Amino acid sequence: MTVAADPDVALRRDDGGARPTASMHAAFRGPSSFTATHLVWLLALTLLAAFLRLYKLGEWSFWVDEAHTFRDATSDFAQFQQSHVVRYPLSFLLLRAMLWFLPSTSEGWLRLPFAFFGIATVPALAFVARGIVGRPAALLAATLLALSPWHIYWSQNCRSYAMVCFLAVLAMGAFYEASRRHSLLLGATTVLLTVLAGACHPSAYLLLGAYLAFWTLSRLLSTGSAKADAVRTPLEKWLPWLILGAIVAMAPIIVSGIGYFARAKPGFSFLHLLQTTVYFVRAPMIVAAIGGFLWLLHRGEHAAFFLACWIVAPLVVLSIPMFAVTAQYAFYTLPAFCLLAGAALRGFVSHITEQTRLARLMRAVPLGILAADALGYNVLYFQAQHGDRPNWRAARDWIDRRGDAQGFVLTTNGPSMCYYLDPEHMLPNESTVVKQIVAFKPDDPDEPWMAEDPAGYLDTYVERCRSEGKTLYVVLTEPELHQMDPTGRFEHHLRATFRQVLRLPVWTGPKDMEVFVYELPPAATGGR
């Protein structure tokens, strides 16, 4: 009874035996140091994470956004300053700086800096989580993050999301400690880390909403407590103003970013956001996270609401109909799912106190289920799904083997094909080899426009290549083509006029990423 009467003492225990408390204001954990055994396990987890994030790092083709990163990191600096990515330049500037040291601009080397942040996030989460869910649950969460297929994918991606996730873990850890210690300095550090994450991608600014939500909840839950009413720390007085100040200061960037994405990605779908969240986080992880929330809530810990705010606040904002969004914009919530799942695993184990073989086997079952789900997907990722990316490089290789110096490529993915066929001309409409299929009206009145006449649009390039003596290839994925031409007239005319010479099947769950290569028959160009 003595321990249960002091929640601060009870919640520092790592054996899962703390009882629920009625006073939420006191239910913060204190961080505990890792033992030597813990550190050995953490080192093993970090090495596992490194292996999974470096394995076949350069084997996957660049998808469209990775090619954009290459373009923005290698373009003239004046052009870079005029591009939309100057609103979140940190990852591009980092890659620009590293180009001086990287031995090449191949896929593996360009992805390496982001793989490093992916690897570093695993031990960072473990150290941060000691004070949130306790040491055993922190190590379990780090294990789940190390095995996560979604985290592996973004760690093997030449995009900023792995950096955002790493900085988000540090920011949320600093914010939790700021709340526990009532430290204004840690509160300011939280805002600074969030701004740095936002300088990698604007989606990170949604964390500011998570801070406000948790601060409001913690104040409401502790209202009426003598301890809470007696203490009005500088943090409690100034933290909301720090957060609101950051929102106001970043407002021009946030608003311009919303405007850009609304133009570039119209067609909001809440169902798509929900489907991608469930698919990438994984259903077993979500179920375990719900169990972890209930377990922490039962114990009367602030961590339950803290981790819930980390997940829910960004997803709620992304659910506002503004532009087409997928779960990737809330990727930095994955560590919170892992922490809640780790708490659920620790809570399950704590209730099986027997030391028999059957009891030990029972304790391993929930972790085994989560690990088996992740490992099963990882096998497909590495062995069958080409890193969850279309195989644009193999299409390039086939065209190169033709030895046709007069080849011209019309494609649904101009950036990736430019990277592989004409990397010196990565800016739109400047490539001499590759032309992006576009469904919107071009600025140049002499350029064709698909929406007016899809079949005529294709014929324009057929005639152009005939007159210039070039061989015409069409390289595409069907889902992107269907978005550009929902009538199907372009595809019907393509199949009637061209011959399919290559099919590169890649499926990721329900998503078709097959790359098709079509060639205008030699007879149509006067033979060779």
Side-chain angles (χ1 to χ4, degrees):
M1 295 298 295
T2 304
V3 173
D6 186 353
D8 286 323
V9 175
L11 294 174
R12 284 181 174 84
R13 297 175 59 192
D14 279 333
D15 60 1
R19 298 179 183 180
T21 64
S23 176
M24 286 297 299
H25 77 276
F28 278 106
R29 282 181 177 267
S32 304
S33 299
F34 281 131
T35 66
T37 302
H38 290 146
L39 292 175
V40 169
W41 279 108
L42 184 55
L43 175 61
L45 288 175
T46 305
L47 292 175
L48 174 63
F51 171 76
L52 291 173
R53 284 148 186 78
L54 297 176
Y55 180 58
K56 295 189 175 183
L57 183 62
E59 187 162 327
W60 324 126
S61 301
F62 265 4
W63 65 293
V64 58
D65 280 8
E66 289 185 289
H68 282 152
T69 301
F70 172 78
R71 176 200 66 195
D72 295 327
T74 58
S75 64
D76 181 82
F77 195 71
Q79 293 173 327
F80 174 78
Q81 289 179 305
Q82 296 173 2
S83 67
H84 72 277
V85 298
V86 76
R87 304 181 185 96
Y88 47 100
L90 193 57
S91 61
F92 302 100
L93 294 176
L94 172 66
L95 195 56
R96 276 179 174 271
M98 295 202 65
L99 287 176
W100 291 94
F101 308 102
L102 296 177
S104 78
T105 55
S106 65
E107 299 94 331
W109 286 110
L110 290 173
R111 289 171 180 151
L112 187 61
F114 305 98
F116 166 78
F117 283 100
I119 296 166
T121 306
V122 172
L125 180 64
F127 277 101
V128 162
R130 293 173 304 158
I132 301 174
V133 293
R135 294 174 299 181
L139 289 174
L140 288 167
T143 302
L144 297 174
L145 188 67
L147 295 174
S148 169
W150 200 23
H151 196 264
I152 292 170
Y153 171 78
W154 284 117
S155 299
Q156 291 198 324
N157 225 290
C158 188
R159 295 297 286 172
S160 61
Y161 295 103
M163 292 180 65
V164 173
C165 188
F166 174 76
L167 290 168
V169 167
L170 298 184
M172 294 303 286
F175 180 65
Y176 189 84
E177 280 299 296
S179 301
R180 187 182 71 85
R181 300 183 192 179
H182 303 285
S183 170
L184 184 59
L185 177 60
L186 283 173
T189 302
T190 299
V191 174
L192 175 61
L193 288 168
T194 307
V195 171
L196 287 175
C200 296
H201 196 274
S203 59
Y205 292 124
L206 299 182
L207 286 172
L208 295 170
Y211 305 147
L212 282 177
F214 178 67
W215 182 87
T216 302
L217 268 177
S218 62
R219 294 300 301 161
L220 290 174
L221 291 168
S222 59
T223 298
S225 158
K227 180 177 178 180
D229 293 339
V231 178
R232 289 291 182 266
T233 65
L235 178 74
E236 292 171 311
K237 294 177 182 178
W238 294 105
L239 181 61
W241 297 107
L242 276 174
I243 296 172
L244 291 173
I247 293 175
V248 171
M250 297 297 110
I253 296 176
I254 296 172
V255 172
S256 64
I258 291 174
Y260 171 79
F261 287 115
R263 293 189 300 271
K265 300 183 177 183
F268 171 82
S269 171
F270 174 76
L271 181 61
H272 182 63
L273 174 62
L274 179 63
Q275 288 173 332
T276 53
T277 300
V278 173
Y279 183 80
F280 290 116
V281 177
R282 314 295 296 167
M285 178 80 81
I286 293 174
V287 172
I290 294 172
F293 172 78
L294 296 175
W295 167 245
L296 293 172
L297 188 64
H298 171 72
R299 286 162 58 93
E301 298 198 36
H302 261 324
F305 295 98
F306 173 77
L307 296 174
C309 290
W310 186 346
I311 293 171
V312 173
L315 288 174
V316 166
V317 176
L318 290 174
S319 299
I320 300 173
M322 291 183 292
F323 49 84
V325 292
T326 67
Q328 74 188 55
Y329 296 120
F331 171 62
Y332 52 79
T333 63
L334 178 62
F337 280 102
C338 293
L339 289 173
L340 286 172
L345 295 175
R346 184 56 181 154
F348 179 84
V349 168
S350 70
H351 281 79
I352 304 176
T353 57
E354 295 83 359
Q355 297 302 317
T356 64
R357 291 182 180 179
L358 180 60
R360 287 193 290 268
L361 182 61
M362 289 175 61
R363 285 195 288 267
V365 167
L367 177 60
I369 292 173
L370 293 172
D373 176 71
L375 289 172
Y377 190 100
N378 288 337
V379 170
L380 294 175
Y381 173 87
F382 286 113
Q383 301 301 325
Q385 295 177 181
H386 190 68
D388 287 357
R389 276 158 268 220
N391 199 347
W392 301 106
R393 185 170 57 194
R396 183 278 313 271
D397 292 342
W398 188 92
I399 293 172
D400 279 351
R401 285 196 296 270
R402 302 286 288 176
D404 187 1
Q406 299 299 314
F408 184 84
V409 175
L410 188 63
T411 180
T412 56
N413 184 355
S416 294
M417 292 309 295
C418 278
Y419 171 79
Y420 286 113
L421 288 168
D422 196 9
E424 297 298 320
H425 300 91
M426 285 293 297
L427 292 177
N429 301 321
E430 287 194 6
S431 176
T432 58
V433 175
V434 178
K435 188 69 176 180
Q436 168 80 47
I437 298 174
V438 292
F440 53 85
K441 189 172 184 177
D443 296 330
D444 187 347
D446 296 329
E447 286 292 313
W449 184 24
M450 174 185 279
E452 289 184 331
D453 181 7
Y457 177 86
L458 179 61
D459 283 337
T460 299
Y461 289 100
V462 171
E463 294 302 322
R464 183 181 298 180
C465 287
R466 284 177 179 172
S467 63
E468 296 177 4
K470 292 182 177 180
T471 305
L472 177 59
Y473 302 97
V474 178
V475 184
L476 57 86
T477 55
E478 289 187 340
E480 281 69 26
L481 179 62
H482 293 164
Q483 286 182 348
M484 298 172 184
D485 176 33
T487 67
R489 287 183 290 168
F490 181 99
E491 183 177 11
H492 177 76
H493 191 53
L494 175 69
R495 292 181 181 275
T497 310
F498 287 64
R499 65 184 182 188
Q500 180 185 311
V501 294
L502 187 64
R503 173 176 172 267
L504 300 163
V506 172
W507 282 76
T508 301
K511 187 172 183 180
D512 179 9
M513 294 186 178
E514 290 180 294
V515 175
F516 293 88
V517 179
Y518 294 87
E519 180 185 27
L520 193 64
T525 58
R528 289 191 182 88

